[in-house]
Amino acid sequence: MKYYSTNQTVPQVSLMEAVTKGLAADNGLFMPERIDAFSSDFFDQIQKMSFQEISFEVAKKFFGEDVPEQTLKDLVYDTLCFDCPVVKVQESVYSLELFHGPTLAFKDVGGRFMARLLGHFLKGFSKEVNVLVATSGDTGSAVANGFLNVPGIKVYVLYPKGLVSDIQEKQFTTLGCNITALEVNGTFDDCQRLVKSAFLDEELNKAMVLTSANSINVARFLPQSFYYFNAYARLRQAGVKGDLVFSVPSGNFGNLTAGLFAKAMGLPVKRFIAANNENDIVYQYLKTGKYEPRASVSTIANAMDVGAPSNFARILDLYHQSHDQISSDMVGYRYSDTEIRETMKQVFEEENYMLDPHGAVGYRALKADLKKGEVGVFLETAHPAKFTETVESVLGKGTVVLPEKLEAFMKGEKLSIGLSTEFADFKKFLFNK
Ligand SMILES: *Cc1c(COP(=O)(O)O)cnc(C)c1O
Protein backbone atom coordinates (compact mmCIF):
# COMPACT_ATOMS: atom_id res chain seq x y z
CA MET A 1 0.00 0.00 0.00
CA LYS A 2 1.25 3.47 -0.83
CA TYR A 3 1.08 6.50 1.45
CA TYR A 4 0.41 10.05 0.31
CA SER A 5 1.10 13.34 2.05
CA THR A 6 -1.83 15.43 3.30
CA ASN A 7 -0.13 18.38 1.58
CA GLN A 8 -0.21 16.45 -1.73
CA THR A 9 2.91 18.09 -3.17
CA VAL A 10 5.28 15.09 -3.09
CA PRO A 11 5.00 11.60 -4.65
CA GLN A 12 3.51 8.68 -2.72
CA VAL A 13 5.88 6.49 -0.72
CA SER A 14 6.03 2.89 0.50
CA LEU A 15 5.03 1.88 4.04
CA MET A 16 8.70 1.40 4.95
CA GLU A 17 9.52 4.91 3.80
CA ALA A 18 6.52 6.40 5.60
CA VAL A 19 7.59 4.68 8.83
CA THR A 20 11.28 5.55 8.61
CA LYS A 21 10.63 9.16 7.57
CA GLY A 22 7.73 9.93 9.94
CA LEU A 23 6.74 13.18 8.23
CA ALA A 24 6.45 13.68 4.45
CA ALA A 25 9.04 15.85 2.69
CA ASP A 26 6.48 18.64 2.25
CA ASN A 27 5.78 18.55 6.00
CA GLY A 28 2.42 16.83 5.44
CA LEU A 29 1.24 13.75 7.34
CA PHE A 30 1.17 10.39 5.61
CA MET A 31 -2.21 8.82 4.79
CA PRO A 32 -2.83 5.32 3.40
CA GLU A 33 -3.98 5.50 -0.24
CA ARG A 34 -7.09 3.43 0.61
CA ILE A 35 -9.08 2.50 3.67
CA ASP A 36 -10.61 -0.93 3.03
CA ALA A 37 -13.91 -1.69 4.72
CA PHE A 38 -14.82 -5.00 6.35
CA SER A 39 -17.78 -7.02 5.10
CA SER A 40 -20.84 -7.49 7.30
CA ASP A 41 -19.69 -11.11 7.92
CA PHE A 42 -16.78 -9.79 9.93
CA PHE A 43 -19.08 -7.81 12.22
CA ASP A 44 -21.39 -10.82 12.59
CA GLN A 45 -18.45 -12.87 13.90
CA ILE A 46 -16.54 -10.22 15.82
CA GLN A 47 -18.01 -10.92 19.25
CA LYS A 48 -16.50 -14.41 19.16
CA MET A 49 -13.02 -13.12 18.40
CA SER A 50 -10.31 -12.15 20.91
CA PHE A 51 -8.71 -8.69 21.00
CA GLN A 52 -5.61 -10.14 19.33
CA GLU A 53 -7.59 -11.93 16.60
CA ILE A 54 -9.58 -8.78 15.81
CA SER A 55 -6.44 -6.63 15.78
CA PHE A 56 -4.72 -9.00 13.36
CA GLU A 57 -7.64 -8.67 10.93
CA VAL A 58 -7.51 -4.86 11.22
CA ALA A 59 -3.71 -4.86 10.80
CA LYS A 60 -4.03 -6.91 7.59
CA LYS A 61 -6.20 -4.18 6.07
CA PHE A 62 -3.42 -1.63 6.52
CA PHE A 63 -0.19 -3.60 6.45
CA GLY A 64 -1.16 -6.89 4.74
CA GLU A 65 0.36 -5.95 1.37
CA ASP A 66 3.71 -4.95 2.87
CA VAL A 67 4.37 -7.45 5.65
CA PRO A 68 4.21 -11.27 5.30
CA GLU A 69 1.12 -12.67 7.02
CA GLN A 70 2.88 -14.73 9.69
CA THR A 71 5.27 -11.87 10.52
CA LEU A 72 2.35 -9.47 10.87
CA LYS A 73 0.53 -11.91 13.11
CA ASP A 74 3.61 -12.20 15.33
CA LEU A 75 3.94 -8.40 15.40
CA VAL A 76 0.34 -7.96 16.52
CA TYR A 77 0.34 -10.73 19.11
CA ASP A 78 3.68 -9.60 20.50
CA THR A 79 2.44 -5.99 20.70
CA LEU A 80 -0.77 -6.95 22.49
CA CYS A 81 0.59 -8.82 25.47
CA PHE A 82 -2.17 -7.12 27.50
CA ASP A 83 -5.91 -6.52 27.21
CA CYS A 84 -8.00 -3.39 26.69
CA PRO A 85 -11.13 -4.36 28.63
CA VAL A 86 -14.48 -2.58 28.56
CA VAL A 87 -15.68 -1.88 32.10
CA LYS A 88 -19.21 -0.83 33.01
CA VAL A 89 -19.25 2.36 35.08
CA GLN A 90 -22.98 3.10 34.94
CA GLU A 91 -26.05 2.10 32.95
CA SER A 92 -25.09 2.67 29.27
CA VAL A 93 -21.70 4.18 30.19
CA TYR A 94 -18.53 2.14 29.73
CA SER A 95 -14.82 2.76 30.22
CA LEU A 96 -12.50 1.36 27.57
CA GLU A 97 -9.44 0.82 29.75
CA LEU A 98 -6.34 1.35 27.66
CA PHE A 99 -3.91 1.39 30.58
CA HIS A 100 -3.00 -2.24 31.09
CA GLY A 101 0.21 -2.13 29.03
CA PRO A 102 3.80 -1.94 30.32
CA THR A 103 3.77 1.85 30.90
CA LEU A 104 0.06 2.03 31.79
CA ALA A 105 -0.90 4.35 28.92
CA PHE A 106 -2.72 3.76 25.63
CA LYS A 107 0.41 4.82 23.78
CA ASP A 108 1.85 1.38 24.57
CA VAL A 109 -0.23 -0.11 21.74
CA GLY A 110 1.16 2.16 19.02
CA GLY A 111 4.63 2.42 20.59
CA ARG A 112 5.09 -1.35 20.77
CA PHE A 113 3.68 -1.97 17.31
CA MET A 114 5.82 0.71 15.70
CA ALA A 115 8.97 -0.64 17.37
CA ARG A 116 8.29 -4.13 16.07
CA LEU A 117 7.36 -3.01 12.57
CA LEU A 118 10.45 -0.83 12.28
CA GLY A 119 12.55 -3.70 13.64
CA HIS A 120 11.11 -5.93 10.89
CA PHE A 121 11.89 -3.41 8.13
CA LEU A 122 15.42 -2.89 9.40
CA LYS A 123 16.42 -6.55 9.16
CA GLY A 124 19.22 -6.55 6.60
CA PHE A 125 19.43 -2.75 6.69
CA SER A 126 23.00 -1.74 7.39
CA LYS A 127 22.38 1.66 8.93
CA GLU A 128 21.28 2.33 12.45
CA VAL A 129 18.00 4.24 12.84
CA ASN A 130 17.71 7.01 15.42
CA VAL A 131 14.28 7.64 16.86
CA LEU A 132 13.87 11.12 18.34
CA VAL A 133 10.95 11.80 20.69
CA ALA A 134 10.03 14.95 22.52
CA THR A 135 7.80 14.18 25.46
CA SER A 136 5.78 15.90 28.13
CA GLY A 137 5.61 12.53 29.90
CA ASP A 138 3.61 9.65 28.45
CA THR A 139 4.91 9.40 24.90
CA GLY A 140 8.51 9.08 26.05
CA SER A 141 7.82 6.17 28.33
CA ALA A 142 5.62 4.22 25.89
CA VAL A 143 8.05 4.69 23.01
CA ALA A 144 11.17 3.98 25.07
CA ASN A 145 9.71 0.81 26.56
CA GLY A 146 8.38 -0.30 23.18
CA PHE A 147 11.79 0.10 21.54
CA LEU A 148 13.87 -1.28 24.39
CA ASN A 149 16.42 -3.77 22.98
CA VAL A 150 15.07 -3.63 19.40
CA PRO A 151 18.24 -4.24 17.29
CA GLY A 152 19.39 -1.49 14.94
CA ILE A 153 17.47 1.26 16.71
CA LYS A 154 18.61 3.96 19.11
CA VAL A 155 16.03 6.07 20.92
CA TYR A 156 16.59 9.61 22.23
CA VAL A 157 13.91 10.94 24.55
CA LEU A 158 13.97 14.71 25.07
CA TYR A 159 12.06 15.92 28.10
CA PRO A 160 11.78 19.19 30.01
CA LYS A 161 13.77 19.22 33.26
CA GLY A 162 11.52 19.29 36.31
CA LEU A 163 8.30 19.32 34.29
CA VAL A 164 7.42 15.63 34.13
CA SER A 165 6.15 13.62 37.10
CA ASP A 166 8.58 11.40 39.05
CA ILE A 167 6.85 8.27 37.83
CA GLN A 168 6.92 9.37 34.22
CA GLU A 169 10.59 10.32 34.43
CA LYS A 170 11.54 6.96 35.93
CA GLN A 171 9.78 5.14 33.12
CA PHE A 172 12.19 6.36 30.47
CA THR A 173 15.35 7.37 32.35
CA THR A 174 16.05 4.03 34.03
CA LEU A 175 16.13 1.75 31.00
CA GLY A 176 19.66 2.19 29.61
CA CYS A 177 20.60 -0.12 26.68
CA ASN A 178 19.49 1.54 23.42
CA ILE A 179 17.47 4.23 25.21
CA THR A 180 19.03 7.61 26.06
CA ALA A 181 17.15 10.21 28.09
CA LEU A 182 18.04 13.84 27.41
CA GLU A 183 17.01 16.25 30.12
CA VAL A 184 16.50 19.63 28.45
CA ASN A 185 16.86 22.77 30.51
CA GLY A 186 13.64 24.25 29.08
CA THR A 187 10.00 23.50 28.31
CA PHE A 188 8.23 20.81 26.27
CA ASP A 189 7.99 23.29 23.38
CA ASP A 190 11.80 23.62 23.45
CA CYS A 191 12.13 19.82 23.26
CA GLN A 192 9.75 19.67 20.32
CA ARG A 193 11.61 22.48 18.57
CA LEU A 194 14.94 20.69 18.98
CA VAL A 195 13.51 17.52 17.46
CA LYS A 196 11.90 19.38 14.56
CA SER A 197 15.13 21.26 13.86
CA ALA A 198 16.99 17.95 13.74
CA PHE A 199 14.58 16.56 11.13
CA LEU A 200 15.10 19.67 8.99
CA ASP A 201 18.89 19.79 9.33
CA GLU A 202 20.53 18.70 6.07
CA GLU A 203 23.91 17.87 7.53
CA LEU A 204 22.45 15.62 10.20
CA ASN A 205 20.14 13.86 7.77
CA LYS A 206 23.04 13.15 5.41
CA ALA A 207 25.03 11.61 8.22
CA MET A 208 22.33 9.50 9.93
CA VAL A 209 18.81 8.12 9.64
CA LEU A 210 16.41 10.02 11.90
CA THR A 211 12.73 9.31 12.50
CA SER A 212 9.96 10.31 14.87
CA ALA A 213 7.73 8.17 17.06
CA ASN A 214 4.92 10.61 17.78
CA SER A 215 1.42 9.92 16.50
CA ILE A 216 2.40 11.60 13.24
CA ASN A 217 4.08 8.26 12.43
CA VAL A 218 1.61 5.93 10.68
CA ALA A 219 3.02 2.88 12.46
CA ARG A 220 2.18 4.42 15.81
CA PHE A 221 -1.11 5.91 14.83
CA LEU A 222 -2.92 3.23 12.75
CA PRO A 223 -2.75 0.44 15.40
CA GLN A 224 -4.73 2.70 17.71
CA SER A 225 -7.80 1.70 15.68
CA PHE A 226 -7.54 -1.87 17.08
CA TYR A 227 -9.18 -1.15 20.40
CA TYR A 228 -12.25 0.55 18.97
CA PHE A 229 -13.15 -2.73 17.24
CA ASN A 230 -12.46 -4.58 20.46
CA ALA A 231 -14.83 -2.32 22.41
CA TYR A 232 -17.61 -3.03 19.91
CA ALA A 233 -16.95 -6.78 20.09
CA ARG A 234 -16.95 -6.94 23.88
CA LEU A 235 -20.19 -4.94 24.14
CA ARG A 236 -21.90 -7.21 21.60
CA GLN A 237 -20.56 -10.23 23.45
CA ALA A 238 -22.11 -8.90 26.65
CA GLY A 239 -25.44 -8.45 24.84
CA VAL A 240 -25.38 -4.65 25.13
CA LYS A 241 -27.63 -3.05 22.49
CA GLY A 242 -27.87 0.51 21.23
CA ASP A 243 -26.07 2.96 18.97
CA LEU A 244 -22.43 3.33 19.89
CA VAL A 245 -20.88 6.69 20.81
CA PHE A 246 -17.16 7.05 21.62
CA SER A 247 -15.80 9.90 23.73
CA VAL A 248 -12.08 10.50 23.27
CA PRO A 249 -9.97 12.72 25.57
CA SER A 250 -7.78 14.41 22.99
CA GLY A 251 -4.55 16.34 22.59
CA ASN A 252 -2.80 15.67 19.29
CA PHE A 253 -5.91 13.81 18.08
CA GLY A 254 -4.11 10.62 17.09
CA ASN A 255 -6.46 8.48 19.14
CA LEU A 256 -9.62 10.10 17.86
CA THR A 257 -8.43 10.01 14.25
CA ALA A 258 -7.71 6.28 14.62
CA GLY A 259 -11.36 5.93 15.68
CA LEU A 260 -12.50 7.78 12.56
CA PHE A 261 -10.44 5.31 10.52
CA ALA A 262 -12.21 2.43 12.30
CA LYS A 263 -15.54 3.98 11.33
CA ALA A 264 -14.37 4.36 7.75
CA MET A 265 -13.59 0.62 7.83
CA GLY A 266 -17.23 -0.04 8.64
CA LEU A 267 -17.26 -0.11 12.44
CA PRO A 268 -20.81 0.95 13.39
CA VAL A 269 -20.21 4.12 15.39
CA LYS A 270 -22.93 6.78 15.57
CA ARG A 271 -20.58 9.61 16.48
CA PHE A 272 -17.36 10.59 18.22
CA ILE A 273 -16.99 13.12 20.97
CA ALA A 274 -13.80 15.20 20.91
CA ALA A 275 -13.18 15.92 24.58
CA ASN A 276 -10.72 18.75 25.25
CA ASN A 277 -9.28 20.40 28.32
CA GLU A 278 -8.77 24.16 28.12
CA ASN A 279 -6.67 23.66 25.01
CA ASP A 280 -9.87 23.71 23.01
CA ILE A 281 -8.71 24.37 19.45
CA VAL A 282 -10.80 21.59 17.93
CA TYR A 283 -13.81 22.42 20.08
CA GLN A 284 -13.63 25.95 18.67
CA TYR A 285 -13.20 24.62 15.14
CA LEU A 286 -16.33 22.48 15.47
CA LYS A 287 -18.25 25.51 16.71
CA THR A 288 -17.03 28.11 14.23
CA GLY A 289 -15.46 26.26 11.29
CA LYS A 290 -12.20 28.12 11.94
CA TYR A 291 -9.05 26.24 12.86
CA GLU A 292 -6.87 28.54 14.93
CA PRO A 293 -3.92 26.87 16.63
CA ARG A 294 -2.37 28.79 19.53
CA ALA A 295 0.17 28.33 22.31
CA SER A 296 -0.83 25.60 24.79
CA VAL A 297 -1.73 26.24 28.43
CA SER A 298 -0.92 23.84 31.30
CA THR A 299 -3.73 21.82 32.82
CA ILE A 300 -3.99 18.82 35.15
CA ALA A 301 -4.67 16.65 32.08
CA ASN A 302 -1.23 17.54 30.76
CA ALA A 303 -0.94 14.88 28.04
CA MET A 304 -3.68 16.86 26.28
CA ASP A 305 -1.96 20.26 26.54
CA VAL A 306 -1.57 20.74 22.83
CA GLY A 307 -2.08 24.03 21.01
CA ALA A 308 -1.62 22.77 17.45
CA PRO A 309 -3.01 19.23 17.26
CA SER A 310 -0.84 17.47 14.68
CA ASN A 311 -3.38 14.90 13.51
CA PHE A 312 -5.98 17.52 12.65
CA ALA A 313 -4.51 17.56 9.13
CA ARG A 314 -5.52 13.90 8.83
CA ILE A 315 -9.10 14.64 9.91
CA LEU A 316 -9.39 17.43 7.34
CA ASP A 317 -8.02 15.13 4.65
CA LEU A 318 -10.32 12.24 5.57
CA TYR A 319 -13.38 14.51 5.31
CA HIS A 320 -12.21 16.46 2.24
CA GLN A 321 -11.77 19.65 4.30
CA SER A 322 -15.54 19.80 4.89
CA HIS A 323 -16.61 21.28 8.22
CA ASP A 324 -20.15 19.94 7.61
CA GLN A 325 -18.94 16.39 7.10
CA ILE A 326 -16.62 16.55 10.10
CA SER A 327 -19.42 17.95 12.26
CA SER A 328 -21.76 15.14 11.27
CA ASP A 329 -19.36 12.56 12.77
CA MET A 330 -17.93 14.58 15.66
CA VAL A 331 -19.08 16.88 18.45
CA GLY A 332 -16.84 18.79 20.83
CA TYR A 333 -16.73 19.56 24.57
CA ARG A 334 -14.13 21.24 26.73
CA TYR A 335 -13.59 21.33 30.47
CA SER A 336 -11.59 23.38 32.96
CA ASP A 337 -9.35 21.90 35.67
CA THR A 338 -12.07 22.65 38.23
CA GLU A 339 -14.60 20.67 36.22
CA ILE A 340 -12.14 17.81 35.75
CA ARG A 341 -11.54 17.62 39.52
CA GLU A 342 -15.28 17.77 40.20
CA THR A 343 -15.90 14.84 37.86
CA MET A 344 -13.10 12.69 39.32
CA LYS A 345 -14.52 13.20 42.79
CA GLN A 346 -18.12 12.59 41.84
CA VAL A 347 -17.47 9.40 39.89
CA PHE A 348 -15.27 8.03 42.67
CA GLU A 349 -17.88 8.75 45.32
CA GLU A 350 -20.98 7.73 43.38
CA GLU A 351 -19.72 4.91 41.16
CA ASN A 352 -16.63 3.81 43.03
CA TYR A 353 -14.62 4.20 39.81
CA MET A 354 -11.28 6.00 39.82
CA LEU A 355 -10.72 8.22 36.79
CA ASP A 356 -7.42 9.77 35.84
CA PRO A 357 -7.68 13.47 34.83
CA HIS A 358 -7.72 12.61 31.10
CA GLY A 359 -10.36 9.91 31.36
CA ALA A 360 -12.43 12.34 33.46
CA VAL A 361 -12.62 14.75 30.52
CA GLY A 362 -13.86 11.91 28.31
CA TYR A 363 -16.40 10.72 30.87
CA ARG A 364 -17.87 14.16 31.47
CA ALA A 365 -18.26 14.92 27.76
CA LEU A 366 -19.94 11.55 27.26
CA LYS A 367 -22.41 12.17 30.07
CA ALA A 368 -23.22 15.58 28.62
CA ASP A 369 -23.86 14.26 25.12
CA LEU A 370 -25.31 10.74 25.44
CA LYS A 371 -28.94 10.37 24.32
CA LYS A 372 -31.56 7.79 25.24
CA GLY A 373 -31.05 4.47 23.46
CA GLU A 374 -27.33 5.06 22.93
CA VAL A 375 -24.40 3.22 24.47
CA GLY A 376 -21.44 5.38 25.41
CA VAL A 377 -17.81 4.37 25.70
CA PHE A 378 -15.16 6.77 26.93
CA LEU A 379 -11.47 6.03 26.50
CA GLU A 380 -9.62 5.80 29.82
CA THR A 381 -6.22 6.71 28.42
CA ALA A 382 -3.97 6.31 31.47
CA HIS A 383 -3.88 4.57 34.84
CA PRO A 384 -4.73 6.99 37.69
CA ALA A 385 -1.47 6.03 39.43
CA LYS A 386 0.47 7.81 36.67
CA PHE A 387 -1.03 11.00 38.08
CA THR A 388 -1.01 10.03 41.75
CA GLU A 389 -0.35 13.54 43.05
CA THR A 390 -3.29 15.09 41.22
CA VAL A 391 -5.62 12.17 41.88
CA GLU A 392 -4.84 12.11 45.60
CA SER A 393 -5.21 15.87 45.87
CA VAL A 394 -8.82 15.33 44.74
CA LEU A 395 -9.74 11.96 46.25
CA GLY A 396 -7.60 12.02 49.39
CA LYS A 397 -4.19 10.72 50.45
CA GLY A 398 -3.66 6.98 50.17
CA THR A 399 -6.48 6.36 47.68
CA VAL A 400 -4.16 5.43 44.81
CA VAL A 401 -2.43 2.06 44.88
CA LEU A 402 0.73 1.92 42.79
CA PRO A 403 0.59 -1.07 40.41
CA GLU A 404 3.56 -3.45 40.54
CA LYS A 405 4.72 -2.38 37.08
CA LEU A 406 5.19 1.18 38.32
CA GLU A 407 6.85 0.16 41.56
CA ALA A 408 9.49 -1.70 39.59
CA PHE A 409 10.28 1.46 37.63
CA MET A 410 10.48 3.53 40.82
CA LYS A 411 13.31 1.32 42.07
CA GLY A 412 15.46 1.96 38.98
CA GLU A 413 18.28 4.50 38.84
CA LYS A 414 17.79 7.66 36.80
CA LEU A 415 20.29 7.95 33.96
CA SER A 416 20.01 11.08 31.86
CA ILE A 417 22.19 13.56 30.05
CA GLY A 418 21.62 17.29 30.46
CA LEU A 419 21.11 19.44 27.38
CA SER A 420 20.65 23.16 26.77
CA THR A 421 17.88 24.51 24.54
CA GLU A 422 20.43 25.44 21.81
CA PHE A 423 20.05 23.35 18.68
CA ALA A 424 23.82 23.55 18.10
CA ASP A 425 24.36 21.59 21.35
CA PHE A 426 21.86 18.91 20.41
CA LYS A 427 23.39 18.60 16.96
CA LYS A 428 26.88 18.24 18.42
CA PHE A 429 25.56 15.59 20.78
CA LEU A 430 24.04 13.58 17.91
CA PHE A 431 27.27 13.79 15.88
CA ASN A 432 29.44 12.68 18.80
CA LYS A 433 27.25 9.99 20.27
C1 LIG B 1 -1.37 11.16 24.70
C2 LIG B 1 -2.47 11.16 25.67
C3 LIG B 1 -3.73 11.72 25.36
C4 LIG B 1 -4.01 12.43 24.06
O1 LIG B 1 -4.02 11.56 22.95
P1 LIG B 1 -3.91 12.15 21.47
O2 LIG B 1 -3.86 10.95 20.59
O3 LIG B 1 -2.66 12.97 21.42
O4 LIG B 1 -5.13 12.97 21.25
C5 LIG B 1 -4.75 11.61 26.29
N1 LIG B 1 -4.54 11.03 27.50
C6 LIG B 1 -3.34 10.51 27.83
C7 LIG B 1 -3.18 9.92 29.18
C8 LIG B 1 -2.28 10.55 26.94
O5 LIG B 1 -1.10 10.05 27.30
Side-chain angles (χ1 to χ4, degrees), residues 106-107 138 249-255 303-304 358 381-382:
F106 79 85
K107 294 183 176 80
D138 272 0
S250 296
N252 265 320
F253 278 77
N255 229 0
M304 291 155 50
H358 307 79
T381 46

Side-chain angles (χ1 to χ4, degrees), residues 359-377:
V361 177
Y363 170 89
R364 185 155 178 158
L366 183 63
K367 286 295 282 184
D369 198 64
L370 202 65
K371 319 271 185 303
K372 227 178 148 45
E374 295 176 342
V375 178
V377 176

Side-chain angles (χ1 to χ4, degrees), residues 226-245:
F226 297 167
Y227 36 73
Y228 289 92
F229 287 90
N230 187 54
Y232 175 80
R234 301 292 72 91
L235 288 171
R236 287 294 168 270
Q237 189 180 25
V240 177
K241 302 241 159 46
D243 292 331
L244 189 56
V245 176

Side-chain angles (χ1 to χ4, degrees), residues 21-200:
K21 291 239 164 80
L23 205 61
D26 60 0
N27 268 333
L29 274 75
F30 286 116
M31 291 284 278
E33 60 176 334
R34 312 184 308 276
I35 300 177
D36 293 335
F38 284 105
S39 68
S40 57
D41 288 359
F42 175 71
F43 294 106
D44 291 342
Q45 300 295 321
I46 197 168
Q47 67 214 59
K48 295 183 209 140
M49 298 165 74
S50 69
F51 179 34
Q52 290 80 3
E53 284 167 337
I54 294 168
S55 302
F56 177 43
E57 292 307 315
V58 178
K60 276 197 269 188
K61 293 275 186 205
F62 291 120
F63 310 115
E65 291 174 12
D66 299 283
V67 183
E69 181 153 335
Q70 188 57 46
T71 308
L72 187 58
K73 186 169 183 181
D74 293 343
L75 284 178
V76 170
Y77 278 67
D78 198 28
T79 298
L80 303 177
C81 57
F82 53 94
D83 250 336
C84 295
V86 176
V87 173
K88 185 170 180 174
V89 177
Q90 256 167 20
E91 202 51 45
S92 304
V93 174
Y94 294 82
S95 169
L96 173 56
E97 293 187 347
L98 303 178
F99 56 69
H100 296 280
T103 75
L104 310 180
F106 79 85
K107 294 183 176 80
D108 281 324
V109 173
R112 289 172 66 80
F113 186 87
M114 180 187 166
R116 281 154 185 77
L117 185 67
L118 197 54
H120 161 70
F121 281 141
L122 296 183
K123 277 191 194 126
F125 190 72
S126 58
K127 278 192 185 163
E128 176 180 278
V129 171
N130 300 282
V131 174
L132 307 181
V133 236
T135 187
S136 56
D138 272 0
T139 304
S141 45
V143 168
N145 283 275
F147 278 97
L148 184 63
N149 292 323
V150 176
I153 299 175
K154 291 251 160 72
V155 177
Y156 297 89
V157 181
L158 286 80
Y159 70 102
K161 183 178 169 131
L163 297 178
V164 302
S165 78
D166 277 358
I167 290 174
Q168 288 175 322
E169 186 174 34
K170 287 278 186 178
Q171 284 184 308
F172 54 79
T173 57
T174 57
L175 298 166
C177 305
N178 59 331
I179 313 295
T180 306
L182 299 169
E183 184 173 36
V184 176
N185 206 350
T187 63
F188 170 64
D189 289 339
D190 291 318
C191 298
Q192 198 142 27
R193 183 177 44 77
L194 289 175
V195 167
K196 278 195 182 147
S197 307
F199 290 135
L200 295 173

Side-chain angles (χ1 to χ4, degrees), residues 322-336:
S322 162
H323 178 255
D324 280 353
Q325 283 185 39
I326 292 174
S327 307
S328 71
D329 272 359
M330 241 165 99
V331 295
Y333 286 84
R334 80 91 210 263
Y335 295 106
S336 67

